[in-house]
Amino acid sequence: DTCEYRIEKKDGSLVWVHDEGHLVSDENGKKWFYVVIVDISATLRKQEEERQKFHQTIQSMLSADPDAMGIIQVNLTTNTCEEAHVNSTLCANIANLKSYDDFISRIRALINTEEEQIRFSKDFDRDLLLKSFAAGKDSRSSEYSRKDLAGEQHWIRTAIKMIENPISLDVEAVLYSTDVTQEKLLASLSQIMMKEEYDFIALLRPLEGKVQALHLSPECPETFRNYFGKEYTYVDFAGLRNNSVLTWVDPDFKPTYLAATEPAKILEELKTNDHYEILVPGHRKDGSVIYRKL
């Protein structure tokens, strides 16, 4: 028989003890119950310190990425989900989660392509993660695309950080997801910026007639800078075109410029080509001729 409890010492202090008893028989067949009591206060204090340190680490991991769309604590050993925080509608539904595996399957169902689904499932397979942790690797991440409720595509990065619970020895972890659409967009735009001279780089939404300046060059003319106001703010695309007509486009080229920059025309050209560009003649403020490639 074994048990643990507290006892009061002669000096009035309390200590935790481990009580272990064994039932034995002597040569005459008489049964005796031998009990050994060991002071385990120091051991329990150390365990409590380790437990507190572990929970602090988990809490630090939970709050490590303030930009995370959502974050969840899981136990890979027991296949369970614990504390969760959701900050975006892009997150998977966490209501009535049955297990870690259930959570991963809910994320997989949101991913756009089968290829990305297979890669994601492999990256976050519970058995593979446990083997990876045993081999000394405590983190992993995966990127995939999915659509929001409005049908707009986003790129998501989901990462996991694993840690061993010093008391239970279970492998617990924190998963968090971040919307990296803007990061990927800027990474692709950096290639353009390195190859071309430009006034601005913008994201056009032809169907909505909106345009968003992603980057204004240091030499960006005042007419564009004033119209956009600041980066990452959506403005009216028709307004940008009219502003250009009034401030720099050659008046004789106005009808051609407006026709060539109609959203429907842009979409038509991009159906058959990977890019669409036009060369527009115009004038600077001082009257000198300028050609801009759009």
Side-chain angles (χ1 to χ4, degrees), residues 57-65 68-76 79-87 91-107 120 124 129 144 157-163 171-178:
T57 301
I58 287 290
Q59 289 304 314
S60 297
M61 291 163 63
L62 284 168
S63 58
D65 191 347
M69 300 164 10
I71 190 164
I72 187 170
Q73 181 184 346
V74 300
N75 187 317
L76 296 176
N79 193 17
T80 55
C81 297
E82 300 176 29
E83 183 178 354
H85 303 279
V86 174
N87 304 317
C91 291
N93 180 17
I94 60 171
N96 303 314
L97 279 174
K98 297 180 178 65
S99 63
Y100 166 83
D101 292 339
D102 178 27
F103 179 60
I104 294 302
S105 68
R106 295 188 189 190
I107 296 179
F120 176 81
F124 287 91
L129 285 173
Y144 51 89
R157 179 184 297 127
T158 294
I160 187 170
K161 179 74 172 177
M162 296 172 281
I163 185 174
V171 177
E172 300 192 34
V174 168
L175 276 85
Y176 56 95
S177 294
T178 309

Short mmCIF file of all heavy atoms in Angstrom, two decimals, residues 57-65 68-76 79-87 91-107 120 124 129 144 157-163 171-178:
data_model
loop_
_atom_site.label_atom_id
_atom_site.label_comp_id
_atom_site.label_asym_id
_atom_site.label_seq_id
_atom_site.Cartn_x
_atom_site.Cartn_y
_atom_site.Cartn_z
N THR A 57 6.15 28.88 -19.09
CA THR A 57 6.65 28.71 -20.47
C THR A 57 5.49 28.59 -21.44
O THR A 57 5.49 29.21 -22.52
CB THR A 57 7.54 27.45 -20.57
OG1 THR A 57 8.64 27.58 -19.66
CG2 THR A 57 8.07 27.27 -21.99
N ILE A 58 4.48 27.80 -21.08
CA ILE A 58 3.30 27.65 -21.92
C ILE A 58 2.61 29.00 -22.12
O ILE A 58 2.21 29.36 -23.24
CB ILE A 58 2.32 26.62 -21.32
CG1 ILE A 58 2.87 25.20 -21.47
CG2 ILE A 58 0.95 26.73 -21.97
CD1 ILE A 58 2.87 24.68 -22.89
N GLN A 59 2.45 29.75 -21.03
CA GLN A 59 1.79 31.06 -21.13
C GLN A 59 2.60 32.01 -22.01
O GLN A 59 2.02 32.79 -22.78
CB GLN A 59 1.60 31.65 -19.73
CG GLN A 59 0.54 30.95 -18.91
CD GLN A 59 -0.82 30.92 -19.59
OE1 GLN A 59 -1.29 31.92 -20.12
NE2 GLN A 59 -1.45 29.75 -19.60
N SER A 60 3.93 31.94 -21.90
CA SER A 60 4.78 32.78 -22.75
C SER A 60 4.61 32.40 -24.21
O SER A 60 4.56 33.26 -25.09
CB SER A 60 6.25 32.63 -22.34
OG SER A 60 6.46 33.08 -21.03
N MET A 61 4.51 31.10 -24.46
CA MET A 61 4.30 30.63 -25.82
C MET A 61 2.94 31.07 -26.35
O MET A 61 2.79 31.43 -27.52
CB MET A 61 4.44 29.11 -25.88
CG MET A 61 5.87 28.61 -25.65
SD MET A 61 5.97 26.85 -25.24
CE MET A 61 5.32 26.08 -26.72
N LEU A 62 1.93 31.05 -25.48
CA LEU A 62 0.58 31.45 -25.88
C LEU A 62 0.50 32.93 -26.25
O LEU A 62 -0.33 33.33 -27.05
CB LEU A 62 -0.42 31.14 -24.76
CG LEU A 62 -0.82 29.67 -24.60
CD1 LEU A 62 -1.58 29.46 -23.30
CD2 LEU A 62 -1.66 29.19 -25.78
N SER A 63 1.36 33.74 -25.63
CA SER A 63 1.32 35.18 -25.88
C SER A 63 2.50 35.66 -26.71
O SER A 63 2.71 36.86 -26.84
CB SER A 63 1.30 35.95 -24.54
OG SER A 63 2.44 35.62 -23.77
N ALA A 64 3.25 34.74 -27.32
CA ALA A 64 4.47 35.11 -28.02
C ALA A 64 4.22 35.85 -29.32
O ALA A 64 5.01 36.69 -29.71
CB ALA A 64 5.31 33.86 -28.30
N ASP A 65 3.12 35.56 -30.01
CA ASP A 65 2.85 36.18 -31.30
C ASP A 65 1.55 36.97 -31.25
O ASP A 65 0.47 36.43 -31.45
CB ASP A 65 2.77 35.11 -32.40
CG ASP A 65 2.74 35.72 -33.80
OD1 ASP A 65 2.54 36.94 -33.90
OD2 ASP A 65 2.94 34.98 -34.77
N ALA A 68 -0.97 36.71 -34.15
CA ALA A 68 -1.55 35.41 -34.50
C ALA A 68 -3.06 35.53 -34.66
O ALA A 68 -3.74 36.20 -33.89
CB ALA A 68 -1.20 34.38 -33.44
N MET A 69 -3.61 34.85 -35.69
CA MET A 69 -5.06 34.80 -35.88
C MET A 69 -5.71 33.98 -34.79
O MET A 69 -6.82 34.27 -34.37
CB MET A 69 -5.38 34.14 -37.22
CG MET A 69 -4.80 34.84 -38.43
SD MET A 69 -4.82 33.79 -39.92
CE MET A 69 -5.81 32.40 -39.46
N GLY A 70 -5.01 32.95 -34.35
CA GLY A 70 -5.52 32.07 -33.31
C GLY A 70 -4.40 31.24 -32.74
O GLY A 70 -3.36 31.05 -33.38
N ILE A 71 -4.60 30.77 -31.51
CA ILE A 71 -3.56 30.00 -30.84
C ILE A 71 -4.22 28.98 -29.92
O ILE A 71 -5.28 29.27 -29.34
CB ILE A 71 -2.62 30.95 -30.05
CG1 ILE A 71 -1.38 30.21 -29.55
CG2 ILE A 71 -3.35 31.67 -28.93
CD1 ILE A 71 -0.28 31.15 -29.13
N ILE A 72 -3.64 27.79 -29.83
CA ILE A 72 -4.25 26.73 -29.04
C ILE A 72 -3.18 25.88 -28.38
O ILE A 72 -2.12 25.64 -28.96
CB ILE A 72 -5.17 25.84 -29.92
CG1 ILE A 72 -5.94 24.84 -29.07
CG2 ILE A 72 -4.37 25.14 -31.02
CD1 ILE A 72 -7.04 24.11 -29.84
N GLN A 73 -3.44 25.46 -27.15
CA GLN A 73 -2.54 24.57 -26.41
C GLN A 73 -3.06 23.14 -26.57
O GLN A 73 -4.26 22.89 -26.41
CB GLN A 73 -2.49 24.95 -24.94
CG GLN A 73 -1.55 24.08 -24.11
CD GLN A 73 -1.60 24.44 -22.62
OE1 GLN A 73 -2.12 25.49 -22.25
NE2 GLN A 73 -1.06 23.57 -21.79
N VAL A 74 -2.14 22.22 -26.89
CA VAL A 74 -2.55 20.83 -27.09
C VAL A 74 -1.61 19.89 -26.34
O VAL A 74 -0.50 20.28 -25.96
CB VAL A 74 -2.54 20.45 -28.60
CG1 VAL A 74 -3.49 21.34 -29.38
CG2 VAL A 74 -1.12 20.55 -29.18
N ASN A 75 -2.09 18.67 -26.12
CA ASN A 75 -1.27 17.62 -25.54
C ASN A 75 -1.15 16.53 -26.60
O ASN A 75 -2.13 15.83 -26.90
CB ASN A 75 -1.91 17.07 -24.27
CG ASN A 75 -1.01 16.10 -23.53
OD1 ASN A 75 -0.37 15.24 -24.15
ND2 ASN A 75 -0.97 16.19 -22.20
N LEU A 76 0.03 16.40 -27.19
CA LEU A 76 0.23 15.43 -28.26
C LEU A 76 0.21 14.01 -27.74
O LEU A 76 -0.24 13.09 -28.43
CB LEU A 76 1.55 15.71 -28.99
CG LEU A 76 1.63 17.05 -29.73
CD1 LEU A 76 3.03 17.24 -30.32
CD2 LEU A 76 0.59 17.13 -30.83
N ASN A 79 -3.42 13.28 -27.05
CA ASN A 79 -4.28 13.63 -28.18
C ASN A 79 -5.47 14.48 -27.74
O ASN A 79 -6.62 14.19 -28.07
CB ASN A 79 -4.77 12.36 -28.89
CG ASN A 79 -5.40 12.65 -30.25
OD1 ASN A 79 -5.21 13.73 -30.81
ND2 ASN A 79 -6.17 11.71 -30.76
N THR A 80 -5.19 15.54 -26.98
CA THR A 80 -6.24 16.42 -26.46
C THR A 80 -5.92 17.88 -26.76
O THR A 80 -4.78 18.24 -27.02
CB THR A 80 -6.42 16.24 -24.94
OG1 THR A 80 -5.16 16.45 -24.28
CG2 THR A 80 -6.92 14.83 -24.61
N CYS A 81 -6.95 18.71 -26.69
CA CYS A 81 -6.82 20.15 -26.87
C CYS A 81 -7.21 20.84 -25.57
O CYS A 81 -8.14 20.42 -24.89
CB CYS A 81 -7.70 20.66 -28.01
SG CYS A 81 -7.26 20.00 -29.62
N GLU A 82 -6.49 21.92 -25.25
CA GLU A 82 -6.76 22.64 -24.01
C GLU A 82 -7.12 24.09 -24.30
O GLU A 82 -8.02 24.36 -25.07
CB GLU A 82 -5.55 22.48 -23.08
CG GLU A 82 -5.26 21.01 -22.75
CD GLU A 82 -4.02 20.79 -21.92
OE1 GLU A 82 -3.65 21.69 -21.15
OE2 GLU A 82 -3.39 19.72 -22.06
N GLU A 83 -6.39 25.03 -23.73
CA GLU A 83 -6.73 26.45 -23.85
C GLU A 83 -6.59 26.92 -25.30
O GLU A 83 -5.65 26.58 -25.99
CB GLU A 83 -5.80 27.26 -22.95
CG GLU A 83 -6.08 28.75 -22.93
CD GLU A 83 -5.16 29.49 -21.97
OE1 GLU A 83 -4.39 28.83 -21.25
OE2 GLU A 83 -5.22 30.73 -21.96
N ALA A 84 -7.56 27.75 -25.75
CA ALA A 84 -7.53 28.27 -27.12
C ALA A 84 -7.99 29.71 -27.16
O ALA A 84 -8.84 30.13 -26.37
CB ALA A 84 -8.41 27.42 -28.03
N HIS A 85 -7.41 30.49 -28.08
CA HIS A 85 -7.80 31.88 -28.29
C HIS A 85 -7.94 32.10 -29.80
O HIS A 85 -7.04 31.78 -30.56
CB HIS A 85 -6.75 32.85 -27.73
CG HIS A 85 -6.46 32.65 -26.28
ND1 HIS A 85 -7.26 33.15 -25.28
CD2 HIS A 85 -5.45 31.96 -25.66
CE1 HIS A 85 -6.75 32.80 -24.10
NE2 HIS A 85 -5.66 32.08 -24.30
N VAL A 86 -9.06 32.68 -30.23
CA VAL A 86 -9.31 32.91 -31.64
C VAL A 86 -9.51 34.40 -31.88
O VAL A 86 -10.30 35.05 -31.20
CB VAL A 86 -10.56 32.13 -32.11
CG1 VAL A 86 -10.91 32.50 -33.54
CG2 VAL A 86 -10.32 30.63 -32.01
N ASN A 87 -8.76 34.96 -32.88
CA ASN A 87 -8.84 36.39 -33.16
C ASN A 87 -9.30 36.69 -34.58
O ASN A 87 -9.31 37.85 -34.98
CB ASN A 87 -7.46 37.03 -32.95
CG ASN A 87 -6.91 36.79 -31.56
OD1 ASN A 87 -7.64 36.90 -30.58
ND2 ASN A 87 -5.63 36.47 -31.47
N CYS A 91 -9.87 31.43 -38.73
CA CYS A 91 -9.49 30.28 -37.91
C CYS A 91 -10.51 29.15 -38.07
O CYS A 91 -11.69 29.37 -38.33
CB CYS A 91 -9.41 30.68 -36.44
SG CYS A 91 -8.04 31.78 -36.07
N ALA A 92 -10.01 27.94 -37.86
CA ALA A 92 -10.90 26.77 -37.88
C ALA A 92 -11.83 26.82 -36.67
O ALA A 92 -11.48 27.39 -35.62
CB ALA A 92 -10.06 25.49 -37.85
N ASN A 93 -13.00 26.25 -36.81
CA ASN A 93 -13.96 26.19 -35.72
C ASN A 93 -13.40 25.33 -34.58
O ASN A 93 -12.95 24.20 -34.80
CB ASN A 93 -15.27 25.59 -36.24
CG ASN A 93 -16.33 25.50 -35.17
OD1 ASN A 93 -16.23 26.15 -34.13
ND2 ASN A 93 -17.34 24.70 -35.40
N ILE A 94 -13.41 25.86 -33.35
CA ILE A 94 -12.86 25.11 -32.22
C ILE A 94 -13.95 24.62 -31.26
O ILE A 94 -13.65 24.11 -30.18
CB ILE A 94 -11.84 25.96 -31.44
CG1 ILE A 94 -12.50 27.24 -30.89
CG2 ILE A 94 -10.63 26.30 -32.30
CD1 ILE A 94 -11.62 28.03 -29.94
N ALA A 95 -15.20 24.76 -31.65
CA ALA A 95 -16.29 24.32 -30.78
C ALA A 95 -16.33 22.79 -30.70
O ALA A 95 -16.23 22.11 -31.71
CB ALA A 95 -17.63 24.85 -31.30
N ASN A 96 -16.44 22.29 -29.48
CA ASN A 96 -16.60 20.84 -29.24
C ASN A 96 -15.49 20.00 -29.87
O ASN A 96 -15.73 18.95 -30.47
CB ASN A 96 -17.96 20.36 -29.77
CG ASN A 96 -19.12 21.11 -29.16
OD1 ASN A 96 -19.16 21.31 -27.94
ND2 ASN A 96 -20.05 21.54 -29.98
N LEU A 97 -14.26 20.46 -29.71
CA LEU A 97 -13.14 19.70 -30.24
C LEU A 97 -13.01 18.38 -29.49
O LEU A 97 -13.04 18.33 -28.27
CB LEU A 97 -11.83 20.49 -30.07
CG LEU A 97 -11.53 21.57 -31.12
CD1 LEU A 97 -10.29 22.35 -30.72
CD2 LEU A 97 -11.36 20.94 -32.49
N LYS A 98 -12.83 17.30 -30.25
CA LYS A 98 -12.72 15.98 -29.65
C LYS A 98 -11.27 15.60 -29.35
O LYS A 98 -11.00 14.84 -28.43
CB LYS A 98 -13.35 14.92 -30.57
CG LYS A 98 -14.84 15.11 -30.80
CD LYS A 98 -15.37 14.02 -31.72
CE LYS A 98 -16.88 14.16 -31.93
NZ LYS A 98 -17.23 15.39 -32.65
N SER A 99 -10.34 16.13 -30.15
CA SER A 99 -8.94 15.73 -30.00
C SER A 99 -8.05 16.66 -30.83
O SER A 99 -8.55 17.48 -31.62
CB SER A 99 -8.74 14.29 -30.47
OG SER A 99 -9.04 14.19 -31.86
N TYR A 100 -6.75 16.49 -30.67
CA TYR A 100 -5.79 17.20 -31.51
C TYR A 100 -5.99 16.79 -32.97
O TYR A 100 -6.00 17.64 -33.87
CB TYR A 100 -4.36 16.87 -31.07
CG TYR A 100 -3.30 17.29 -32.05
CD1 TYR A 100 -2.83 18.60 -32.09
CD2 TYR A 100 -2.78 16.37 -32.97
CE1 TYR A 100 -1.87 18.98 -33.03
CE2 TYR A 100 -1.83 16.75 -33.90
CZ TYR A 100 -1.36 18.05 -33.92
OH TYR A 100 -0.42 18.42 -34.83
N ASP A 101 -6.16 15.49 -33.21
CA ASP A 101 -6.37 15.00 -34.57
C ASP A 101 -7.62 15.62 -35.19
O ASP A 101 -7.63 15.95 -36.38
CB ASP A 101 -6.50 13.47 -34.58
CG ASP A 101 -5.19 12.78 -34.21
OD1 ASP A 101 -4.12 13.42 -34.34
OD2 ASP A 101 -5.24 11.61 -33.79
N ASP A 102 -8.65 15.80 -34.40
CA ASP A 102 -9.88 16.44 -34.86
C ASP A 102 -9.60 17.88 -35.28
O ASP A 102 -10.08 18.35 -36.32
CB ASP A 102 -10.93 16.39 -33.75
CG ASP A 102 -12.24 17.09 -34.13
OD1 ASP A 102 -12.54 17.16 -35.34
OD2 ASP A 102 -12.94 17.55 -33.22
N PHE A 103 -8.80 18.59 -34.48
CA PHE A 103 -8.45 19.98 -34.77
C PHE A 103 -7.70 20.09 -36.09
O PHE A 103 -8.01 20.94 -36.94
CB PHE A 103 -7.61 20.54 -33.63
CG PHE A 103 -7.17 21.96 -33.84
CD1 PHE A 103 -8.10 22.98 -33.99
CD2 PHE A 103 -5.82 22.28 -33.88
CE1 PHE A 103 -7.69 24.29 -34.19
CE2 PHE A 103 -5.41 23.59 -34.08
CZ PHE A 103 -6.34 24.60 -34.24
N ILE A 104 -6.72 19.21 -36.30
CA ILE A 104 -5.93 19.23 -37.53
C ILE A 104 -6.81 18.92 -38.74
O ILE A 104 -6.67 19.54 -39.81
CB ILE A 104 -4.76 18.23 -37.44
CG1 ILE A 104 -3.77 18.67 -36.37
CG2 ILE A 104 -4.06 18.08 -38.79
CD1 ILE A 104 -3.18 20.05 -36.57
N SER A 105 -7.76 17.99 -38.59
CA SER A 105 -8.65 17.66 -39.71
C SER A 105 -9.54 18.84 -40.06
O SER A 105 -9.90 19.03 -41.23
CB SER A 105 -9.50 16.43 -39.36
OG SER A 105 -10.42 16.73 -38.33
N ARG A 106 -9.91 19.66 -39.06
CA ARG A 106 -10.75 20.84 -39.33
C ARG A 106 -9.97 21.89 -40.12
O ARG A 106 -10.54 22.56 -40.99
CB ARG A 106 -11.27 21.43 -38.03
CG ARG A 106 -12.21 20.51 -37.27
CD ARG A 106 -12.85 21.22 -36.09
NE ARG A 106 -13.59 20.29 -35.23
CZ ARG A 106 -14.40 20.67 -34.26
NH1 ARG A 106 -14.58 21.97 -33.99
NH2 ARG A 106 -15.03 19.76 -33.51
N ILE A 107 -8.69 22.04 -39.80
CA ILE A 107 -7.86 22.98 -40.58
C ILE A 107 -7.69 22.47 -42.00
O ILE A 107 -7.83 23.21 -42.97
CB ILE A 107 -6.48 23.18 -39.91
CG1 ILE A 107 -6.63 23.82 -38.54
CG2 ILE A 107 -5.59 24.04 -40.81
CD1 ILE A 107 -5.32 24.02 -37.81
N PHE A 120 0.18 19.53 -45.40
CA PHE A 120 -0.16 20.00 -44.06
C PHE A 120 -0.38 18.83 -43.10
O PHE A 120 0.11 18.83 -41.97
CB PHE A 120 -1.42 20.87 -44.12
CG PHE A 120 -1.91 21.33 -42.77
CD1 PHE A 120 -1.33 22.41 -42.14
CD2 PHE A 120 -2.94 20.65 -42.13
CE1 PHE A 120 -1.77 22.83 -40.89
CE2 PHE A 120 -3.38 21.06 -40.88
CZ PHE A 120 -2.79 22.14 -40.26
N PHE A 124 1.84 18.01 -39.63
CA PHE A 124 1.26 18.06 -38.29
C PHE A 124 0.70 16.71 -37.84
O PHE A 124 -0.13 16.67 -36.92
CB PHE A 124 0.19 19.15 -38.24
CG PHE A 124 0.79 20.54 -38.25
CD1 PHE A 124 0.99 21.20 -39.44
CD2 PHE A 124 1.21 21.14 -37.08
CE1 PHE A 124 1.58 22.46 -39.48
CE2 PHE A 124 1.79 22.39 -37.09
CZ PHE A 124 1.99 23.05 -38.29
N LEU A 129 5.20 14.08 -35.21
CA LEU A 129 5.66 15.17 -34.34
C LEU A 129 6.31 14.61 -33.08
O LEU A 129 7.34 15.12 -32.62
CB LEU A 129 4.49 16.08 -33.97
CG LEU A 129 4.00 17.04 -35.07
CD1 LEU A 129 2.73 17.74 -34.62
CD2 LEU A 129 5.08 18.06 -35.41
N TYR A 144 0.00 27.34 -46.32
CA TYR A 144 -1.03 26.86 -47.22
C TYR A 144 -1.97 28.01 -47.56
O TYR A 144 -1.97 29.05 -46.90
CB TYR A 144 -1.82 25.72 -46.57
CG TYR A 144 -2.33 26.03 -45.18
CD1 TYR A 144 -3.58 26.63 -45.00
CD2 TYR A 144 -1.56 25.76 -44.06
CE1 TYR A 144 -4.05 26.93 -43.74
CE2 TYR A 144 -2.02 26.05 -42.79
CZ TYR A 144 -3.26 26.64 -42.63
OH TYR A 144 -3.72 26.95 -41.37
N ARG A 157 0.24 30.75 -42.33
CA ARG A 157 1.35 29.97 -41.80
C ARG A 157 0.95 29.45 -40.42
O ARG A 157 0.62 30.22 -39.52
CB ARG A 157 2.61 30.81 -41.67
CG ARG A 157 3.81 30.03 -41.09
CD ARG A 157 5.03 30.93 -40.88
NE ARG A 157 5.51 31.45 -42.14
CZ ARG A 157 5.72 32.75 -42.38
NH1 ARG A 157 5.46 33.65 -41.43
NH2 ARG A 157 6.17 33.16 -43.55
N THR A 158 0.93 28.12 -40.27
CA THR A 158 0.64 27.50 -38.98
C THR A 158 1.93 26.89 -38.44
O THR A 158 2.64 26.20 -39.17
CB THR A 158 -0.44 26.41 -39.12
OG1 THR A 158 -1.68 27.03 -39.50
CG2 THR A 158 -0.65 25.67 -37.80
N ALA A 159 2.22 27.17 -37.18
CA ALA A 159 3.45 26.68 -36.57
C ALA A 159 3.14 25.99 -35.25
O ALA A 159 2.11 26.26 -34.61
CB ALA A 159 4.42 27.84 -36.34
N ILE A 160 4.02 25.08 -34.84
CA ILE A 160 3.87 24.38 -33.57
C ILE A 160 5.18 24.42 -32.81
O ILE A 160 6.26 24.32 -33.40
CB ILE A 160 3.40 22.92 -33.80
CG1 ILE A 160 3.08 22.26 -32.44
CG2 ILE A 160 4.43 22.12 -34.58
CD1 ILE A 160 2.39 20.90 -32.59
N LYS A 161 5.08 24.63 -31.50
CA LYS A 161 6.25 24.62 -30.61
C LYS A 161 5.97 23.62 -29.50
O LYS A 161 4.98 23.74 -28.78
CB LYS A 161 6.47 26.02 -30.03
CG LYS A 161 7.65 26.11 -29.07
CD LYS A 161 8.97 26.08 -29.80
CE LYS A 161 10.13 26.36 -28.85
NZ LYS A 161 11.44 26.26 -29.54
N MET A 162 6.83 22.62 -29.37
CA MET A 162 6.60 21.53 -28.42
C MET A 162 7.49 21.63 -27.19
O MET A 162 8.60 22.16 -27.26
CB MET A 162 6.83 20.18 -29.11
CG MET A 162 5.87 19.90 -30.24
SD MET A 162 6.31 18.41 -31.21
CE MET A 162 7.62 19.05 -32.27
N ILE A 163 7.00 21.10 -26.06
CA ILE A 163 7.74 21.11 -24.80
C ILE A 163 7.28 19.92 -23.95
O ILE A 163 6.12 19.52 -24.02
CB ILE A 163 7.52 22.45 -24.03
CG1 ILE A 163 8.40 22.50 -22.78
CG2 ILE A 163 6.06 22.66 -23.69
CD1 ILE A 163 8.34 23.86 -22.07
N VAL A 171 4.24 15.20 -23.96
CA VAL A 171 4.70 16.24 -24.89
C VAL A 171 3.51 17.16 -25.18
O VAL A 171 2.52 16.74 -25.78
CB VAL A 171 5.22 15.63 -26.21
CG1 VAL A 171 5.62 16.75 -27.18
CG2 VAL A 171 6.40 14.71 -25.94
N GLU A 172 3.60 18.38 -24.68
CA GLU A 172 2.56 19.36 -24.91
C GLU A 172 3.06 20.39 -25.91
O GLU A 172 4.27 20.47 -26.18
CB GLU A 172 2.14 20.01 -23.60
CG GLU A 172 1.59 18.99 -22.59
CD GLU A 172 0.90 19.64 -21.40
OE1 GLU A 172 0.29 20.71 -21.59
OE2 GLU A 172 0.98 19.08 -20.30
N ALA A 173 2.16 21.17 -26.48
CA ALA A 173 2.57 22.09 -27.54
C ALA A 173 1.61 23.25 -27.66
O ALA A 173 0.48 23.20 -27.17
CB ALA A 173 2.67 21.34 -28.87
N VAL A 174 2.08 24.28 -28.33
CA VAL A 174 1.24 25.42 -28.69
C VAL A 174 1.26 25.56 -30.21
O VAL A 174 2.33 25.56 -30.83
CB VAL A 174 1.76 26.71 -28.03
CG1 VAL A 174 1.07 27.93 -28.62
CG2 VAL A 174 1.52 26.66 -26.52
N LEU A 175 0.08 25.63 -30.81
CA LEU A 175 -0.06 25.87 -32.25
C LEU A 175 -0.60 27.27 -32.45
O LEU A 175 -1.49 27.72 -31.71
CB LEU A 175 -1.06 24.89 -32.89
CG LEU A 175 -0.54 23.52 -33.31
CD1 LEU A 175 -0.60 22.58 -32.11
CD2 LEU A 175 -1.39 22.97 -34.45
N TYR A 176 -0.07 27.98 -33.43
CA TYR A 176 -0.61 29.30 -33.75
C TYR A 176 -0.56 29.52 -35.25
O TYR A 176 0.32 28.99 -35.96
CB TYR A 176 0.14 30.41 -33.01
CG TYR A 176 1.63 30.44 -33.27
CD1 TYR A 176 2.18 31.26 -34.25
CD2 TYR A 176 2.49 29.65 -32.51
CE1 TYR A 176 3.54 31.29 -34.48
CE2 TYR A 176 3.85 29.68 -32.72
CZ TYR A 176 4.37 30.51 -33.70
OH TYR A 176 5.73 30.52 -33.93
N SER A 177 -1.53 30.26 -35.76
CA SER A 177 -1.62 30.54 -37.19
C SER A 177 -1.56 32.04 -37.43
O SER A 177 -2.13 32.83 -36.66
CB SER A 177 -2.92 29.98 -37.77
OG SER A 177 -2.93 28.57 -37.70
N THR A 178 -0.88 32.43 -38.51
CA THR A 178 -0.72 33.84 -38.87
C THR A 178 -1.05 34.02 -40.34
O THR A 178 -0.68 33.19 -41.17
CB THR A 178 0.73 34.29 -38.61
OG1 THR A 178 1.11 33.94 -37.28
CG2 THR A 178 0.87 35.80 -38.79
#
